[in-house]
Amino acid sequence: MNILALDSSTEACSVALLTKQNVVEKFEVVGRGHAEHLLPMINALLKENGASIDDIGLFAYGSGPGSFTGLRIGTAMMQGLALARERKLIAVSSLAALASRQQGTVLSVIDARMDQIYHGLYRVQKNNSPELSGKISVSYPDEIDLPDSGNIILTGTGWDRYKDKFMLMKSADREITGIDNEYPHAADIARLALYGSGQGRETDPANALPHYVRNKVAKTMAER
Amino acid sequence: MLVLGIETSCDETAVALYDSVQGLLADRLYSQIAIHAEYGGVVPELAARDHIRKLVPLIRKSLEDSRLGLQDIDGVAYTRGPGLAGALLVGATMGQALAFGLAVPAVGVHHMEGHLLAPMLEQTRPHFPFLALLVSGGHTLLVDVAGPGEYNILGESLDDAVGEAFDKTAKLLGLAYPGGPSVAKEAEKGRMDRFKFPRPMTDRPGLDFSFSGLKTFTLITAREHEDDNQQLTDQIRADIALAFQEAATDTLLIKARRALQQTGYEQLVIAGGVGANKSLRQKLNEMAEQENISVYFPRPEFCTDNGAMIAYVGCLRLSAGESEGMAVAVKPRWKLSDLKPPGERKHKVKS
């Protein structure tokens, strides 16, 4: 089954096509330009690989957490395509996609602004889907509970932003290894979607939503 | 040509199907008023979050209503602006994706053009040219509508929109959001000559409006009549609501009459949410009788935000050969006067 995937959770924008043979990807750092770039990138990816939108059996999207607007652009794009083609969708965590590029104990961190980060701790084995330990949450970098010992790999835009703070978490038993300039990639979203579809995690486009994590976005009149 | 219209510019998610031959075939709307009520106004992030939950189900319901399938759609129209950027992006992205998936053209529509042309969806419709009074939470405009896409702004609010003034008045009187209906309801219990509020900018020539001074006058009046516990009596609250509504609607009336005299037009079209205000409707009807002109009020659901007007304008523009490139670009700020008649826009396709 051919899978079309995208991720728009960070300043990066990527689309990927997974076929029986391989995975091909287009990747660009676009800042806030996801709306402008996504569909032209999808169109070019399909054309260059001799495929059409009719050939897609499953649509996969990086569900975040990350930029609220970026997530909605990616989600609405895939909702629209899946609705038009009458196909299912699958949500893949953008943090899991980041983790899947490493091996070992991985803390995926995406900048959440307001001095906070979204994070998830994963155990990643070769040729396997990353296994989340605990849950995905949002907090200040120094509030994160890291394992006491071993090597912890930090990856994602949160590492680039808060490198100094994370390096302070080094101890005699705990090693910190950071991966610079790393973003979630649609190719990894596509691969993880393939695992996910094996587990029956596809959903109808109406139920495919972003995973915001930060849900308190305004104060009610009573709270003010 | 069957066009799917999508509207997500503010706090209503709306979808409609309009056919160039059969007319309006479906018109679905989901209002977010309940979500924003406890915040005292629209929270843009919450609006966008709700649009993405509601859009797919509304599209499906519209198709069910019209007993049509996705494959019957010949084009997609979505609101490109003006409005809340995050909210607009949900509808625009969905619209472009659907069009790409169905291999049909998509077009981004100006929300206010939708309001201006909404009366064309009715059985009794005006003919061009006509004068339009567009009154909503975001806009107060007098527009010379020469034809589709030919709009000349004759007057506009220099500060608050009239609907915004209603909302703020409701807030300071402790009335529910949205302010338009709650101020109107409160005003029903008011005494006509208890207070007299100013009719801003009516004592000088010109067709522009200003409602921020009226809002301040309302605030000062309310403060002056509060008791020691900063409370208004029910009667005074109703009297203030009535005085405010009278001043706001009189101002609209005076300027509309002046614009009719200036243009020599004999048709006046009312659009936008404040067009649902009964006092305004009554005054305009009385004027129409005196001046021997025709006034057109679209049905209330076409006055407020809706998908039908977007599908209609989209159909006009798609039929004339307009379409967007693949890059999705919304316009949170977009002047009506920048529009061109259908088919005259030369679109530059990026990449």
Side-chain angles (χ1 to χ4, degrees), chain A residues 68-87:
Chain A
F68 297 158
T69 301
L71 294 179
R72 273 191 294 271
I73 290 166
T75 306
M77 179 63 67
M78 286 320 212
Q79 282 184 335
L81 293 176
L83 178 66
R85 302 317 313 158
E86 300 184 57
R87 294 283 187 266

PDB file of all heavy atoms in Angstrom, chain A residues 68-87:
ATOM      1  N   PHE A  68       0.744  25.276  16.625  1.00  0.00           N
ATOM      2  CA  PHE A  68      -0.701  25.017  16.473  1.00  0.00           C
ATOM      3  C   PHE A  68      -1.130  25.210  15.010  1.00  0.00           C
ATOM      4  O   PHE A  68      -1.838  24.392  14.451  1.00  0.00           O
ATOM      5  CB  PHE A  68      -1.534  25.964  17.344  1.00  0.00           C
ATOM      6  CG  PHE A  68      -1.320  25.815  18.829  1.00  0.00           C
ATOM      7  CD1 PHE A  68      -1.634  26.867  19.680  1.00  0.00           C
ATOM      8  CD2 PHE A  68      -0.822  24.638  19.374  1.00  0.00           C
ATOM      9  CE1 PHE A  68      -1.463  26.746  21.052  1.00  0.00           C
ATOM     10  CE2 PHE A  68      -0.644  24.503  20.746  1.00  0.00           C
ATOM     11  CZ  PHE A  68      -0.962  25.569  21.588  1.00  0.00           C
ATOM     12  N   THR A  69      -0.715  26.325  14.442  1.00  0.00           N
ATOM     13  CA  THR A  69      -1.124  26.622  13.063  1.00  0.00           C
ATOM     14  C   THR A  69      -0.521  25.615  12.093  1.00  0.00           C
ATOM     15  O   THR A  69      -1.200  25.108  11.207  1.00  0.00           O
ATOM     16  CB  THR A  69      -0.718  28.059  12.688  1.00  0.00           C
ATOM     17  OG1 THR A  69      -1.349  28.955  13.608  1.00  0.00           O
ATOM     18  CG2 THR A  69      -1.152  28.412  11.286  1.00  0.00           C
ATOM     19  N   GLY A  70       0.758  25.306  12.280  1.00  0.00           N
ATOM     20  CA  GLY A  70       1.406  24.320  11.423  1.00  0.00           C
ATOM     21  C   GLY A  70       0.674  22.988  11.477  1.00  0.00           C
ATOM     22  O   GLY A  70       0.404  22.366  10.444  1.00  0.00           O
ATOM     23  N   LEU A  71       0.330  22.548  12.678  1.00  0.00           N
ATOM     24  CA  LEU A  71      -0.376  21.272  12.838  1.00  0.00           C
ATOM     25  C   LEU A  71      -1.716  21.282  12.128  1.00  0.00           C
ATOM     26  O   LEU A  71      -2.104  20.309  11.481  1.00  0.00           O
ATOM     27  CB  LEU A  71      -0.619  20.967  14.323  1.00  0.00           C
ATOM     28  CG  LEU A  71       0.615  20.696  15.184  1.00  0.00           C
ATOM     29  CD1 LEU A  71       0.190  20.429  16.626  1.00  0.00           C
ATOM     30  CD2 LEU A  71       1.401  19.517  14.639  1.00  0.00           C
ATOM     31  N   ARG A  72      -2.425  22.409  12.245  1.00  0.00           N
ATOM     32  CA  ARG A  72      -3.745  22.459  11.607  1.00  0.00           C
ATOM     33  C   ARG A  72      -3.631  22.464  10.083  1.00  0.00           C
ATOM     34  O   ARG A  72      -4.456  21.874   9.403  1.00  0.00           O
ATOM     35  CB  ARG A  72      -4.521  23.690  12.086  1.00  0.00           C
ATOM     36  CG  ARG A  72      -5.300  23.426  13.349  1.00  0.00           C
ATOM     37  CD  ARG A  72      -6.242  24.550  13.645  1.00  0.00           C
ATOM     38  NE  ARG A  72      -5.551  25.777  13.953  1.00  0.00           N
ATOM     39  CZ  ARG A  72      -5.160  26.134  15.163  1.00  0.00           C
ATOM     40  NH1 ARG A  72      -5.395  25.358  16.192  1.00  0.00           N
ATOM     41  NH2 ARG A  72      -4.531  27.271  15.351  1.00  0.00           N
ATOM     42  N   ILE A  73      -2.602  23.123   9.566  1.00  0.00           N
ATOM     43  CA  ILE A  73      -2.423  23.135   8.107  1.00  0.00           C
ATOM     44  C   ILE A  73      -2.166  21.707   7.623  1.00  0.00           C
ATOM     45  O   ILE A  73      -2.785  21.238   6.667  1.00  0.00           O
ATOM     46  CB  ILE A  73      -1.281  24.095   7.712  1.00  0.00           C
ATOM     47  CG1 ILE A  73      -1.716  25.541   7.967  1.00  0.00           C
ATOM     48  CG2 ILE A  73      -0.878  23.892   6.249  1.00  0.00           C
ATOM     49  CD1 ILE A  73      -0.582  26.540   7.939  1.00  0.00           C
ATOM     50  N   GLY A  74      -1.272  20.993   8.309  1.00  0.00           N
ATOM     51  CA  GLY A  74      -0.968  19.616   7.914  1.00  0.00           C
ATOM     52  C   GLY A  74      -2.173  18.698   8.062  1.00  0.00           C
ATOM     53  O   GLY A  74      -2.465  17.881   7.183  1.00  0.00           O
ATOM     54  N   THR A  75      -2.890  18.858   9.158  1.00  0.00           N
ATOM     55  CA  THR A  75      -4.045  17.992   9.418  1.00  0.00           C
ATOM     56  C   THR A  75      -5.171  18.275   8.413  1.00  0.00           C
ATOM     57  O   THR A  75      -5.743  17.346   7.842  1.00  0.00           O
ATOM     58  CB  THR A  75      -4.566  18.204  10.857  1.00  0.00           C
ATOM     59  OG1 THR A  75      -3.464  18.018  11.761  1.00  0.00           O
ATOM     60  CG2 THR A  75      -5.651  17.194  11.203  1.00  0.00           C
ATOM     61  N   ALA A  76      -5.471  19.569   8.203  1.00  0.00           N
ATOM     62  CA  ALA A  76      -6.547  19.921   7.265  1.00  0.00           C
ATOM     63  C   ALA A  76      -6.191  19.457   5.849  1.00  0.00           C
ATOM     64  O   ALA A  76      -7.054  19.013   5.091  1.00  0.00           O
ATOM     65  CB  ALA A  76      -6.808  21.424   7.278  1.00  0.00           C
ATOM     66  N   MET A  77      -4.912  19.562   5.494  1.00  0.00           N
ATOM     67  CA  MET A  77      -4.466  19.109   4.173  1.00  0.00           C
ATOM     68  C   MET A  77      -4.782  17.623   3.998  1.00  0.00           C
ATOM     69  O   MET A  77      -5.362  17.203   2.990  1.00  0.00           O
ATOM     70  CB  MET A  77      -2.950  19.349   4.057  1.00  0.00           C
ATOM     71  CG  MET A  77      -2.319  18.921   2.753  1.00  0.00           C
ATOM     72  SD  MET A  77      -2.943  19.837   1.332  1.00  0.00           S
ATOM     73  CE  MET A  77      -2.320  21.492   1.669  1.00  0.00           C
ATOM     74  N   MET A  78      -4.409  16.824   5.013  1.00  0.00           N
ATOM     75  CA  MET A  78      -4.616  15.381   4.891  1.00  0.00           C
ATOM     76  C   MET A  78      -6.088  15.001   5.047  1.00  0.00           C
ATOM     77  O   MET A  78      -6.561  14.071   4.392  1.00  0.00           O
ATOM     78  CB  MET A  78      -3.750  14.649   5.910  1.00  0.00           C
ATOM     79  CG  MET A  78      -2.278  14.647   5.537  1.00  0.00           C
ATOM     80  SD  MET A  78      -1.989  14.396   3.748  1.00  0.00           S
ATOM     81  CE  MET A  78      -0.441  13.527   3.779  1.00  0.00           C
ATOM     82  N   GLN A  79      -6.816  15.726   5.889  1.00  0.00           N
ATOM     83  CA  GLN A  79      -8.272  15.495   5.982  1.00  0.00           C
ATOM     84  C   GLN A  79      -8.906  15.686   4.608  1.00  0.00           C
ATOM     85  O   GLN A  79      -9.714  14.874   4.166  1.00  0.00           O
ATOM     86  CB  GLN A  79      -8.920  16.491   6.945  1.00  0.00           C
ATOM     87  CG  GLN A  79      -8.757  16.193   8.419  1.00  0.00           C
ATOM     88  CD  GLN A  79      -9.531  17.212   9.251  1.00  0.00           C
ATOM     89  OE1 GLN A  79      -9.781  18.335   8.822  1.00  0.00           O
ATOM     90  NE2 GLN A  79      -9.902  16.830  10.461  1.00  0.00           N
ATOM     91  N   GLY A  80      -8.534  16.775   3.950  1.00  0.00           N
ATOM     92  CA  GLY A  80      -9.115  17.115   2.651  1.00  0.00           C
ATOM     93  C   GLY A  80      -8.776  16.075   1.587  1.00  0.00           C
ATOM     94  O   GLY A  80      -9.651  15.644   0.827  1.00  0.00           O
ATOM     95  N   LEU A  81      -7.512  15.667   1.552  1.00  0.00           N
ATOM     96  CA  LEU A  81      -7.094  14.674   0.551  1.00  0.00           C
ATOM     97  C   LEU A  81      -7.770  13.330   0.820  1.00  0.00           C
ATOM     98  O   LEU A  81      -8.277  12.681  -0.094  1.00  0.00           O
ATOM     99  CB  LEU A  81      -5.568  14.516   0.556  1.00  0.00           C
ATOM    100  CG  LEU A  81      -4.770  15.733   0.071  1.00  0.00           C
ATOM    101  CD1 LEU A  81      -3.269  15.477   0.210  1.00  0.00           C
ATOM    102  CD2 LEU A  81      -5.098  16.067  -1.385  1.00  0.00           C
ATOM    103  N   ALA A  82      -7.777  12.912   2.085  1.00  0.00           N
ATOM    104  CA  ALA A  82      -8.371  11.614   2.429  1.00  0.00           C
ATOM    105  C   ALA A  82      -9.881  11.615   2.173  1.00  0.00           C
ATOM    106  O   ALA A  82     -10.435  10.639   1.672  1.00  0.00           O
ATOM    107  CB  ALA A  82      -8.076  11.268   3.891  1.00  0.00           C
ATOM    108  N   LEU A  83     -10.518  12.753   2.488  1.00  0.00           N
ATOM    109  CA  LEU A  83     -11.962  12.866   2.243  1.00  0.00           C
ATOM    110  C   LEU A  83     -12.246  12.750   0.745  1.00  0.00           C
ATOM    111  O   LEU A  83     -13.123  12.000   0.325  1.00  0.00           O
ATOM    112  CB  LEU A  83     -12.463  14.216   2.784  1.00  0.00           C
ATOM    113  CG  LEU A  83     -13.946  14.533   2.584  1.00  0.00           C
ATOM    114  CD1 LEU A  83     -14.814  13.578   3.389  1.00  0.00           C
ATOM    115  CD2 LEU A  83     -14.248  15.975   2.990  1.00  0.00           C
ATOM    116  N   ALA A  84     -11.468  13.483  -0.056  1.00  0.00           N
ATOM    117  CA  ALA A  84     -11.676  13.483  -1.511  1.00  0.00           C
ATOM    118  C   ALA A  84     -11.451  12.091  -2.101  1.00  0.00           C
ATOM    119  O   ALA A  84     -12.185  11.661  -2.981  1.00  0.00           O
ATOM    120  CB  ALA A  84     -10.753  14.498  -2.174  1.00  0.00           C
ATOM    121  N   ARG A  85     -10.437  11.393  -1.622  1.00  0.00           N
ATOM    122  CA  ARG A  85     -10.099  10.077  -2.183  1.00  0.00           C
ATOM    123  C   ARG A  85     -10.800   8.941  -1.446  1.00  0.00           C
ATOM    124  O   ARG A  85     -10.563   7.775  -1.749  1.00  0.00           O
ATOM    125  CB  ARG A  85      -8.580   9.837  -2.173  1.00  0.00           C
ATOM    126  CG  ARG A  85      -7.719  10.853  -2.940  1.00  0.00           C
ATOM    127  CD  ARG A  85      -8.244  11.276  -4.285  1.00  0.00           C
ATOM    128  NE  ARG A  85      -8.689  10.181  -5.128  1.00  0.00           N
ATOM    129  CZ  ARG A  85      -9.538  10.311  -6.140  1.00  0.00           C
ATOM    130  NH1 ARG A  85     -10.038  11.487  -6.441  1.00  0.00           N
ATOM    131  NH2 ARG A  85      -9.890   9.265  -6.850  1.00  0.00           N
ATOM    132  N   GLU A  86     -11.594   9.273  -0.442  1.00  0.00           N
ATOM    133  CA  GLU A  86     -12.292   8.272   0.374  1.00  0.00           C
ATOM    134  C   GLU A  86     -11.326   7.229   0.933  1.00  0.00           C
ATOM    135  O   GLU A  86     -11.488   6.024   0.759  1.00  0.00           O
ATOM    136  CB  GLU A  86     -13.426   7.637  -0.422  1.00  0.00           C
ATOM    137  CG  GLU A  86     -14.418   8.726  -0.854  1.00  0.00           C
ATOM    138  CD  GLU A  86     -15.645   8.195  -1.571  1.00  0.00           C
ATOM    139  OE1 GLU A  86     -16.327   7.361  -0.958  1.00  0.00           O
ATOM    140  OE2 GLU A  86     -15.904   8.631  -2.697  1.00  0.00           O
ATOM    141  N   ARG A  87     -10.292   7.742   1.598  1.00  0.00           N
ATOM    142  CA  ARG A  87      -9.288   6.889   2.238  1.00  0.00           C
ATOM    143  C   ARG A  87      -9.217   7.223   3.717  1.00  0.00           C
ATOM    144  O   ARG A  87      -9.747   8.237   4.161  1.00  0.00           O
ATOM    145  CB  ARG A  87      -7.913   7.145   1.609  1.00  0.00           C
ATOM    146  CG  ARG A  87      -7.807   6.739   0.166  1.00  0.00           C
ATOM    147  CD  ARG A  87      -7.658   5.231   0.042  1.00  0.00           C
ATOM    148  NE  ARG A  87      -7.385   4.843  -1.327  1.00  0.00           N
ATOM    149  CZ  ARG A  87      -8.317   4.469  -2.209  1.00  0.00           C
ATOM    150  NH1 ARG A  87      -9.595   4.468  -1.861  1.00  0.00           N
ATOM    151  NH2 ARG A  87      -7.976   4.104  -3.426  1.00  0.00           N
TER     152      ARG A  87
END
